[in-house]
Amino acid sequence: MRNPGRGVDGDKVGKSEKDQSWIPKIVKKRVCTTFVESSLSNGALCQCGGKRDSHGSVALGDYFSTAIVNRWDSAQHSSEYPTDAFGELQFAGASKRHSYFLRLSWDTAPSMVYTLMTVHWGLPAPNLVVSIVGGEGRTKVKTWVREVLRQGLVKASQSTGAWILTEGLREGVGRCVGEAVRDHATAASSVSLNRVVALGIAPWGLVDNREQLVNPEGSFPAKYYVKNTSRDSHCLDNNHQAFLLVDDGSVGRRGETGFRAKLEDFISHQRTGIWGSGSIDIPVLCMLISGDAGMLERVDLSLKSSMPWLVLAGSGGLADFLSDILDNLSPAAAAQSSGEGGGDASPGVDLKDKVAERVKKHFPAEKEPDKLVDRALSIYQMRDFITVYHGEQEGPNDFDTVLLKTLVGASKHHASVNASPYNEELKLAVTWNRVDIAKSELFNGDIHWTYEDLKDSMTDALINDKPQFVRLFTENGLNILDYLTYGRLESLYGSVAEGTVLYHLLQRHLVERLGTAPSNQQNLPSKLVAENLQIGPVTEITLFEVAKVLELLMGDICQPFYYDAFGLEDISSKSRALRRASKLLHGECPYRKERCLSPWTSLFIWAVLQNRSEMATFFWEMAGESVLSALSGCKILRELSKLEMETENKLSMKELAQRFENLAHDMFSSCYRSNESRSFTLLIRKSTVWGGTTCLQMGMGADARLFFSHDGVQSLLSQIWWGDMKRNTDVWKFLLTFFCPFLCYTNLISFRKQEDQHQGQDEKPNEDGLGKDSDSLYGHTVFSFSDIKHTDSDEQGPPRTPTIKGRRVSYRAPKRPFIVSRWRQFWFAPVTAFLGNVLMYFLFLLLFAWVLLVDFKPPSSSGLALTENVLYFWVFTIVCEEIREIFFLGTRTWRQRVRVYIQDVWNMCDLIAILLFIVGVICRTFTWSYGFGRDVMCVDYMVFTVRLIHIFAIHKQLGPKIIIVGKMMKDIFFFLFFLMVWLLAYGVANQALIYAYDPSLERIFRRVFYRPYLHIFGQIPVEEMDVGKEWDMPCTDNMTLIESGQEPCRTLHSNWLVVILLVVYLLVTNILLINLLIAMFSSTFSEVQANSDIYWKFQRYTLVVQYHSRPSLAPPFIILSHLNLFIKRVIRKVPSIKIQHFVLELKGKDANKLKTWETIQKEDFLTAQNKIQKSSDSQRLKRMSVKVDGVFKHMTESRDVDHRLRALENEMEYCSNALSWIIDTLAQGSTFKPPRPPPASRDVFLSSKST
């Protein structure tokens, strides 16, 4: 009968049946076909354990065969039939999770079973297999054994993704393992939830209620009922993920050990590795707990196939017997036994006698002790593969270390035999992610590691996110320059996990390059897009896709990455670059063999794109340009977080981005404390590694507010802002000089001398001992911008380059008269340009207001007023300045410039104001549209006035308040949404209740929207809304008059409802919503006010950049500067350095010196961080724990010495007894007379001496 559970989830059930319908055709069961009578049952039972009635007619009819058979054998007396028990198993009342099960014959091929489990059942391929042998039956498991299984075995297996093989029944060790796996799976995260697989291999005939599993067509699922789950029984344990029910045709007997041994041996020859690369064989470890004498053969056979064993000493039975032999017998005696000849065999006889004594001690009821002795001696010869673990003494916390050392020790023995030293154990340590074992066993100085030995393990460690191993390899012989080629970097990007944001982006750009998908497929899931890709090497991820992803994330801040590998650095067109890259990638791709120019930076980008925190931090430590690298990581992560859909991943990206911003802030703080002028150079230094960007540009793109709030960054901005004037200049002196320009030639304002830039550096040599000449560059270009100003206005030729053959030349502007130079120092400062623009903008607003209020006359033959013409020219100069900012500022393409321009809110405000002004001017020129033009100009005046807010953002007190106002504007939009809901609901209902019929759309709009809005501010027309009040408005009920436009009369019968709605509406809007808005404003104010200084300092950079790049003259006089720039840039082709926003390009020795200094500061910073971390309480406790572990290790070693001393005492006792026997024999003989009496014992000698 089919299981009733098949009706549930029909689609899934049908799929499972289809996937596993082939199982009965291949997998077989065994049925007893020969009834061999048991001598103890009076003919009622067969020796297979089954009753006579359960055997078929064929088994009972073969009387001749039965008569000559004395012992039942599965291979001879059972036959194979298609299995009738397979599918999914559901434990009724115990668990909702389904387990897999299969009834199979004992001689089934292990390869087929392993494929079934990994492919069809979906069990993850193991990195380790631990087979627990022994501990079966209903014997109570000791408490410390339970703790070893729970805290040691399962915990260690969970970190590696292991399979644990048990008998799978609810008794003994199998039950303990199942409960431990369940508890750890409950406590573990979702990522590692299914990493530990408990696999039960039980004899079919021993399982209780096995008839519930029988279904020739498969069970999906089979309901398995367990009556009493608190007591041990032969029922299947519900905490196991899968069951292999081995059938040998018997009932009530244990016969699965042979199949389990074959399965273990097969798995041990399978390859495991990273992403299926097959780096090492799957390590298989057998763990012996208790056990009876019959398992000695099982241990012996597996040891002969080099299977490592871990014996749990003290667990009883066979485990205690083997630990006694291995701990207490002398290895020297065993060596003599193995090398004995045909003559004197006394040492071998002695070892055999000692083993026989221990057999009698541990197995006194054994009928054939000689076989056990021979097995034990054979096992002793293979003792290198056996590790004895004294769990009761050592505790479960070190069990994972013991487990790994057991496998590493076995690997060493294999290496000595197969002549492949240490590589396998290194790969094993990497697979297990146990860097402590690798340090103590492999990287302790005894082994010389080469690049060839480490490169494969380095790839495994990178792909599997094991930064500690990456650090270990780089410290022990791995040269990253030799390792990281462009081809290997592409393979690292090819290993990106599916489903991540990076994988989707790479696949999207891959499809774009291959041209196999139309544009409408760009938003499809990457899995569907990948199905359209061509099969072959051309579909692999290349650095071109990586460059496109980085270009998407970084924007226009820096030049594209990896274009130099393709030869695309001189191509600005994206379509041309795409065609050329596609053509190159269809060839041999010789660039893949080239070394990566900046390996640590490339690995840092790779780790950041995958949101790997520890790995990215390590690569940041190793990479150069630490401040810029940290800001770049922050930028990439914040852009990725905007594309990430998973909330958990989004939060982790934001946290890591903030961490890198903190690193950039702290690192720059360390540099600033060390040397102020060099830190300024660091901020504006053009980076060749990061695509020609600077720290300031990257920090602005990364929205790094905390970094910009640093005093060093603000000091540089203040230096730029004041130009060659001293920063402590009083504002009143500056204003007075601005209105009286000739005061700049007096001492009212202090100017910095150019020599002051070098004074602090020239008086003493730098810490590198290079002297003032080599150190002068760090204060020169940064402190004074007169060089840039002079280069910008130089009329004698192109500007001089700041570097000559890699050496910095201290550039000095040509001498000018004092009058000219002082005039330039004052008027060319950004603060002067700012003040001039502010004053002229106020004059512009006054002129605009005068035109609108006085001189804005209708078009006539007399023409426009003079003030209006001046206003038009003024706006024209403003338009010219906006055009200059868009198309003639910076080194980007015009598309990038337009994109950057539009992204600024205030630029959009300028654009709207200009467009409105143009529309107003066009409309006012015609009589029929004059009124509309005037209205547009009035609105445009408001937009121009609002533009004043951005001007005052530079003020330290007003700037944060402007930011708070901007944040509150967002709160108003949310408030208006709630208000519109209530306003619309009340307005429509109120209008319909007061007036039964009113077709006038104008009155409807006013009374539905405008009148309820005025109700909020207390303007309530009570006479109109309350029929009890007199209303002097003439009205009519005539439909014709109402349709002609007259006022309709009010409805009287529903006026009570109008009053109630008014009360409710006022209650909600005036009390609830208004207080909600106040609460939102308060929350925003508190949030922004706490960080207002940081916000203001961040926005200050934009304003400084804007006025640093602006001409000194303000509109309308700025047209003179525009004419001058046009002549110089277009006609004379004089390039400008000023347009690059104070970017300094260092080359040769200067760049190397700055990098070296920054590297030294980073090392000092990391050292200080390590000291702080080591001084923390957690680190102290950790170090104390390590010391305690070391003491415990020494105590364990002393215990080993005690064992050896005990063995030596046993040997000495034997020698003493032998000598005594010889003396007695010689004394009793008469043929030899000793010349003197035998020596007295030591005790007698000492006693006689004392007397």
Side-chain angles (χ1 to χ4, degrees):
M1 187 176 89
R2 293 299 299 271
N3 197 303
R6 287 180 57 85
V8 182
D9 198 1
D11 296 338
K12 183 178 179 180
V13 169
K15 186 176 184 298
S16 299
E17 290 186 22
K18 182 179 180 181
D19 292 343
Q20 302 186 23
S21 59
W22 55 271
I23 291 180
K25 302 176 183 178
I26 299 178
V27 182
K28 307 298 180 182
K29 68 176 182 178
R30 281 199 171 266
V31 178
C32 178
T33 56
T34 303
F35 183 84
V36 181
E37 181 178 334
S38 175
S39 59
L40 303 177
S41 63
N42 296 325
L45 296 177
C46 177
Q47 290 186 13
C48 70
K51 298 180 180 179
R52 177 181 291 270
D53 298 339
S54 62
H55 288 67
S57 58
V58 177
L60 297 175
D62 193 357
Y63 297 104
F64 178 77
S65 299
T66 304
I68 64 175
V69 173
N70 295 324
R71 187 174 181 180
W72 186 88
D73 182 75
S74 176
Q76 299 179 5
H77 305 134
S78 63
S79 301
E80 291 184 344
Y81 295 90
T83 184
D84 56 359
F86 64 93
E88 298 177 2
L89 181 64
Q90 181 180 5
F91 292 88
S95 176
K96 295 182 180 180
R97 178 180 51 82
H98 290 184
S99 301
Y100 299 98
F101 72 98
L102 174 66
R103 178 184 179 183
L104 70 162
S105 174
W106 58 268
D107 58 350
T108 305
S111 59
M112 187 275 297
V113 178
Y114 183 76
T115 303
L116 172 68
M117 291 188 294
T118 56
V119 177
H120 296 277
W121 288 357
L123 300 181
N127 292 324
L128 168 70
V129 175
V130 179
S131 179
I132 299 180
V133 179
E136 295 94 350
R138 301 186 181 182
T139 305
K140 185 177 180 180
V141 181
K142 296 180 180 180
T143 304
W144 67 268
V145 176
R146 290 178 178 268
E147 291 301 318
V148 167
L149 294 175
R150 177 184 297 272
Q151 299 295 332
L153 175 62
V154 177
K155 187 176 181 180
S157 301
Q158 192 176 31
S159 63
T160 59
W163 285 8
I164 302 179
L165 273 57
T166 69
E167 197 174 39
L169 302 180
R170 294 190 61 82
E171 61 175 6
V173 174
R175 180 168 184 168
C176 296
V177 171
E179 292 174 351
V181 171
R182 177 199 63 195
D183 295 341
H184 278 276
T186 303
S189 62
S190 59
V191 178
S192 59
L193 185 60
N194 296 320
R195 295 197 64 180
V196 180
V197 175
L199 177 61
I201 303 179
W204 167 261
L206 195 64
V207 178
D208 292 344
N209 303 327
R210 56 186 176 275
E211 62 277 357
Q212 300 175 8
L213 309 178
V214 176
N215 189 339
E217 299 181 6
S219 302
F220 303 96
K223 296 287 186 179
Y224 188 73
Y225 296 90
V226 181
K227 294 182 180 180
N228 190 354
T229 59
S230 61
R231 298 178 57 185
D232 288 347
S233 63
H234 289 166
C235 295
L236 297 178
D237 184 66
N238 61 297
N239 296 312
H240 284 65
Q241 280 83 359
F243 298 93
L244 298 177
L245 307 178
V246 183
D247 189 6
D248 62 352
S250 65
V251 177
R253 298 199 315 178
R254 301 183 185 275
E256 86 288 353
T257 55
F259 172 78
R260 189 201 285 199
K262 291 190 296 181
L263 181 62
E264 293 165 359
D265 183 68
F266 174 80
I267 295 177
S268 66
H269 290 85
Q270 303 306 305
R271 303 292 287 181
T272 187
I274 314 304
W275 308 110
S277 60
S279 59
I280 61 173
D281 288 338
I282 298 176
V284 178
L285 175 69
C286 295
M287 181 176 174
L288 180 62
I289 301 177
S290 184
D292 54 17
M295 295 181 180
L296 205 60
E297 180 180 3
R298 162 93 158 84
V299 177
D300 186 25
L301 293 176
S302 61
L303 283 174
K304 290 180 180 178
S305 61
S306 302
M307 190 75 67
W309 278 79
L310 181 65
V311 178
L312 203 60
S315 59
L318 182 61
D320 290 352
F321 169 70
L322 291 179
S323 63
D324 188 9
I325 292 178
L326 296 172
D327 290 341
N328 299 323
L329 290 185
S330 172
Q336 294 174 1
S337 174
S338 61
E340 62 187 4
D344 188 9
S346 60
V349 173
D350 177 63
L351 179 62
K352 190 172 183 179
D353 291 341
K354 291 183 179 181
V355 174
E357 291 177 3
R358 285 166 172 78
V359 169
K360 292 179 181 179
K361 175 183 176 182
H362 291 278
F363 306 106
E366 184 63 33
K367 297 180 181 180
E368 298 179 349
D370 294 338
K371 293 184 178 180
L372 295 184
V373 173
D374 294 337
R375 292 285 185 185
L377 290 174
S378 177
I379 291 173
Y380 193 80
Q381 303 303 322
M382 303 292 295
R383 60 186 177 275
D384 293 332
F385 290 94
I386 303 177
T387 301
V388 179
Y389 176 66
H390 300 273
E392 190 173 9
Q393 302 173 4
E394 300 180 16
N397 294 329
D398 295 333
F399 184 79
D400 53 349
T401 305
V402 174
L403 205 64
L404 289 171
K405 288 186 176 181
T406 302
L407 294 171
V408 170
S411 299
K412 285 184 177 180
H413 185 73
H414 278 300
S416 63
V417 174
N418 301 326
S420 56
Y422 305 112
N423 286 334
E424 290 297 323
E425 61 238 58
L426 175 60
K427 294 178 181 179
L428 179 65
V430 173
T431 302
W432 280 58
N433 196 22
R434 288 303 300 267
V435 70
D436 53 341
I437 300 296
K439 287 181 179 179
S440 61
E441 298 289 334
L442 303 174
F443 293 90
N444 52 11
D446 298 336
I447 307 172
H448 176 69
W449 293 98
T450 62
Y451 168 75
E452 296 296 331
D453 297 330
L454 298 177
K455 63 177 183 178
D456 293 337
S457 298
M458 179 69 168
T459 303
D460 293 349
L462 286 172
I463 294 176
N464 278 275
D465 193 16
K466 297 173 182 176
Q468 293 181 342
F469 273 101
V470 176
R471 185 187 297 269
L472 184 65
F473 294 152
T474 54
E475 294 173 353
N476 289 273
L478 185 91
N479 188 355
I480 196 65
L481 293 174
D482 296 333
Y483 172 78
L484 194 66
T485 60
Y486 286 125
R488 185 168 277 118
L489 184 60
E490 286 183 350
S491 66
L492 291 178
Y493 278 103
S495 66
V496 174
E498 296 185 11
T500 59
V501 177
L502 177 59
Y503 180 81
H504 289 295
L505 293 176
L506 290 173
Q507 291 296 324
R508 188 177 72 180
H509 289 291
L510 178 61
V511 172
E512 180 181 350
R513 177 171 64 85
L514 296 177
T516 57
S519 59
N520 58 0
Q521 288 190 1
Q522 297 297 317
N523 297 324
L524 293 178
S526 61
K527 187 174 181 181
L528 297 178
V529 173
E531 294 178 356
N532 295 328
L533 299 179
Q534 300 175 0
I535 306 299
V538 72
T539 61
E540 296 177 355
I541 297 297
T542 64
L543 289 181
F544 185 76
E545 284 75 51
V546 178
K548 285 297 182 181
V549 172
L550 291 175
E551 184 178 357
L552 174 66
L553 298 176
M554 304 294 281
D556 304 326
I557 297 177
C558 55
Q559 299 297 324
F561 289 81
Y562 306 121
Y563 268 29
D564 53 345
F566 299 93
L568 306 176
E569 59 271 14
D570 298 330
I571 300 178
S572 59
S573 174
K574 293 184 178 180
S575 58
R576 286 182 56 197
L578 181 61
R579 290 194 299 269
R580 184 167 179 178
S582 301
K583 182 179 180 181
L584 176 64
L585 292 172
H586 278 283
E588 296 181 356
C589 302
Y591 74 92
R592 292 177 177 172
K593 298 180 181 180
E594 299 177 1
R595 291 182 178 182
C596 188
L597 298 180
S598 303
W600 290 119
T601 303
S602 298
L603 289 176
F604 172 73
I605 296 173
W606 173 78
V608 166
L609 287 173
Q610 297 187 82
N611 194 25
R612 295 182 174 181
S613 174
E614 190 175 355
M615 186 82 77
T617 304
F618 169 68
F619 291 144
W620 173 81
E621 295 175 2
M622 300 301 295
E625 304 183 8
S626 54
V627 177
L628 181 56
S629 297
L631 292 173
S632 302
C634 177
K635 166 69 174 176
I636 294 173
L637 286 165
R638 283 178 175 162
E639 294 297 329
L640 275 177
S641 65
K642 298 176 183 178
L643 303 175
E644 179 62 57
M645 302 301 296
E646 297 291 337
T647 304
E648 185 176 356
N649 294 337
K650 184 188 290 290
L651 292 177
S652 65
M653 287 179 181
K654 291 182 178 180
E655 291 175 1
L656 185 56
Q658 187 60 47
R659 179 180 177 183
F660 278 120
E661 184 180 352
N662 294 338
L663 283 175
H665 177 274
D666 298 340
M667 181 62 206
F668 179 74
S669 179
S670 177
C671 296
Y672 184 69
R673 289 193 300 268
S674 174
N675 193 308
E676 180 178 349
S677 59
R678 287 187 176 183
S679 63
F680 288 166
T681 308
L682 201 66
L683 292 176
I684 64 173
R685 182 261 319 269
K686 184 177 180 181
S687 172
T688 57
V689 177
W690 290 97
T693 187
T694 65
C695 290
L696 292 179
Q697 293 173 354
M698 187 63 72
M700 188 66 187
D703 198 20
R705 297 186 177 94
L706 180 63
F707 177 76
F708 272 94
S709 67
H710 192 275
D711 293 339
V713 180
Q714 293 300 311
S715 179
L716 175 63
L717 294 180
S718 298
Q719 190 77 45
I720 299 170
W721 183 249
W722 286 94
D724 290 332
M725 291 181 285
K726 291 188 177 181
R727 285 178 290 177
N728 57 357
T729 302
D730 295 331
V731 178
W732 68 271
K733 294 181 180 180
F734 176 73
L735 292 175
L736 184 61
T737 306
F738 184 86
F739 289 104
C740 299
F742 295 103
L743 291 177
C744 68
Y745 298 106
T746 66
N747 294 326
L748 183 64
I749 295 181
S750 300
F751 291 86
R752 290 182 299 107
K753 296 180 180 180
Q754 194 167 0
E755 289 77 9
D756 294 341
Q757 308 159 12
H758 311 275
Q759 186 174 3
Q761 303 272 342
D762 293 347
E763 290 178 355
K764 59 181 180 180
N766 62 352
E767 58 267 25
D768 299 330
L770 300 177
K772 64 180 183 179
D773 293 335
S774 61
D775 197 46
S776 61
L777 74 104
Y778 294 112
H780 173 64
T781 307
V782 179
F783 274 131
S784 177
F785 291 89
S786 59
D787 291 351
I788 296 179
K789 298 287 185 180
H790 174 263
T791 305
D792 208 26
S793 59
D794 192 2
E795 298 181 0
Q796 303 301 324
R800 299 182 185 180
T801 117
T803 59
I804 299 179
K805 294 184 179 179
R807 183 178 178 182
R808 176 67 185 173
V809 177
S810 181
Y811 177 79
R812 302 286 182 176
K815 288 291 184 178
R816 292 189 178 92
F818 173 75
I819 298 177
V820 177
S821 61
R822 181 56 57 88
W823 184 269
R824 291 172 61 86
Q825 284 179 330
F826 178 77
W827 288 102
F828 280 24
V831 63
T832 309
F834 170 77
L835 183 59
N837 277 272
V838 170
L839 295 178
M840 296 306 295
Y841 198 79
F842 274 109
L843 291 178
F844 167 73
L845 292 178
L846 290 176
L847 177 64
F848 201 165
W850 177 267
V851 170
L852 284 178
L853 297 176
V854 178
D855 289 341
F856 199 80
K857 300 177 182 178
S860 61
S861 58
S862 60
L864 302 177
L866 177 62
T867 54
E868 190 171 355
N869 288 319
V870 173
L871 177 65
Y872 293 162
F873 177 75
W874 203 318
V875 174
F876 171 75
T877 59
I878 294 176
V879 173
C880 292
E881 174 61 19
E882 296 299 322
I883 294 175
R884 186 194 68 86
E885 289 184 8
I886 298 176
F887 297 101
F888 298 98
L889 189 63
T891 58
R892 303 183 180 97
T893 63
W894 68 271
R895 293 182 180 179
Q896 294 174 339
R897 294 171 185 171
V898 171
R899 190 185 309 117
V900 173
Y901 180 85
I902 294 177
Q903 288 175 353
D904 192 337
V905 177
W906 295 110
N907 288 336
M908 290 297 297
C909 182
D910 292 338
L911 192 60
I912 293 174
I914 292 172
L915 292 177
L916 289 176
F917 190 88
I918 294 174
V919 172
V921 170
I922 293 175
C923 292
R924 71 100 56 231
T925 57
F926 302 99
T927 306
W928 57 272
S929 60
Y930 165 77
F932 178 74
R934 181 182 176 84
D935 297 340
V936 172
M937 296 288 279
C938 293
V939 174
D940 189 39
Y941 180 81
M942 293 181 61
V943 177
F944 273 113
T945 307
V946 171
R947 187 65 172 79
L948 278 174
I949 296 177
H950 178 56
I951 295 178
F952 292 105
I954 194 67
H955 197 271
K956 192 170 185 178
Q957 280 73 35
L958 293 179
K961 302 302 184 292
I962 294 173
I963 296 172
I964 293 175
V965 171
K967 296 287 185 180
M968 288 182 175
M969 291 298 295
K970 298 180 181 179
D971 296 337
I972 289 180
F973 284 110
F974 289 106
F975 168 77
L976 290 178
F977 170 76
F978 292 109
L979 180 63
M980 284 301 299
V981 172
W982 282 98
L983 189 143
L984 181 63
Y986 169 75
V988 173
N990 182 69
Q991 173 67 12
L993 290 173
I994 294 179
Y995 301 101
Y997 179 71
D998 187 3
S1000 176
L1001 295 179
E1002 181 183 357
R1003 285 197 297 263
I1004 290 177
F1005 179 80
R1006 289 178 177 273
R1007 292 170 177 173
V1008 169
F1009 294 101
Y1010 182 57
R1011 185 172 62 184
Y1013 179 75
L1014 295 179
H1015 288 356
I1016 302 175
F1017 304 98
Q1019 297 186 18
I1020 304 173
V1022 180
E1023 295 81 3
E1024 180 182 359
M1025 302 187 63
D1026 189 358
V1027 296
K1029 301 289 185 177
E1030 291 292 336
W1031 192 34
D1032 55 358
M1033 176 67 69
C1035 62
T1036 179
D1037 292 326
N1038 191 327
M1039 301 293 290
T1040 304
L1041 296 178
I1042 293 175
E1043 291 178 355
S1044 63
Q1046 291 192 17
E1047 181 73 24
C1049 292
R1050 298 172 295 174
T1051 304
L1052 304 180
H1053 67 275
S1054 60
N1055 189 254
W1056 62 274
L1057 188 55
V1058 173
V1059 176
I1060 294 176
L1061 290 180
L1062 177 62
V1063 172
V1064 174
Y1065 173 73
L1066 294 177
L1067 180 67
V1068 172
T1069 54
N1070 287 18
I1071 297 179
L1072 179 62
L1073 293 183
I1074 297 299
N1075 282 278
L1076 173 63
L1077 181 62
I1078 295 173
M1080 293 169 64
F1081 283 171
S1082 300
S1083 176
T1084 302
F1085 182 84
S1086 301
E1087 178 184 354
V1088 179
Q1089 182 67 20
N1091 301 313
S1092 59
D1093 190 58
I1094 296 177
Y1095 281 96
W1096 169 73
K1097 289 178 178 179
F1098 177 70
Q1099 290 196 349
R1100 183 184 178 216
Y1101 169 76
T1102 306
L1103 199 65
V1104 171
V1105 168
Q1106 177 182 355
Y1107 283 97
H1108 175 266
S1109 61
R1110 273 197 171 193
S1112 302
L1113 298 178
F1117 306 108
I1118 199 173
I1119 192 68
L1120 301 177
S1121 298
H1122 290 164
L1123 293 175
N1124 181 35
L1125 290 176
F1126 179 80
I1127 294 173
K1128 291 169 60 177
R1129 303 291 175 257
V1130 179
I1131 299 177
R1132 299 183 58 206
K1133 305 295 183 182
V1134 178
S1136 173
I1137 299 178
K1138 184 177 178 181
I1139 61 175
Q1140 298 182 8
H1141 300 328
F1142 33 92
V1143 174
L1144 176 64
E1145 184 175 1
L1146 298 179
K1147 296 180 180 180
K1149 293 182 180 180
D1150 298 339
N1152 293 333
K1153 290 176 186 177
L1154 186 62
K1155 289 181 180 178
T1156 303
W1157 175 76
E1158 185 181 7
T1159 302
I1160 294 174
Q1161 299 307 315
K1162 179 176 65 175
E1163 292 175 354
D1164 296 340
F1165 168 74
L1166 293 176
T1167 302
Q1169 292 294 320
N1170 291 332
K1171 289 182 180 179
I1172 295 174
Q1173 186 177 6
K1174 288 181 180 179
S1175 62
S1176 61
D1177 294 338
S1178 60
Q1179 291 297 320
R1180 290 179 180 178
L1181 290 175
K1182 187 176 181 179
R1183 291 196 297 271
M1184 182 64 69
S1185 175
V1186 172
K1187 293 179 180 179
V1188 172
D1189 292 341
V1191 173
F1192 185 77
K1193 182 179 180 181
H1194 289 303
M1195 293 178 62
T1196 305
E1197 293 176 354
S1198 65
R1199 189 182 301 112
D1200 296 337
V1201 175
D1202 292 339
H1203 288 306
R1204 283 184 282 178
L1205 289 175
R1206 192 178 300 113
L1208 182 59
E1209 289 175 356
N1210 293 334
E1211 293 295 330
M1212 293 298 295
E1213 182 182 359
Y1214 170 76
C1215 293
S1216 177
N1217 293 333
L1219 290 174
S1220 298
W1221 178 79
I1222 294 172
I1223 292 173
D1224 293 341
T1225 303
L1226 293 175
Q1228 294 176 3
S1230 58
T1231 59
F1232 176 76
K1233 298 295 184 180
R1236 59 184 176 84
S1241 64
R1242 185 175 179 82
D1243 295 337
V1244 176
F1245 175 76
L1246 292 175
S1247 62
S1248 63
K1249 186 177 180 180
S1250 62
T1251 56

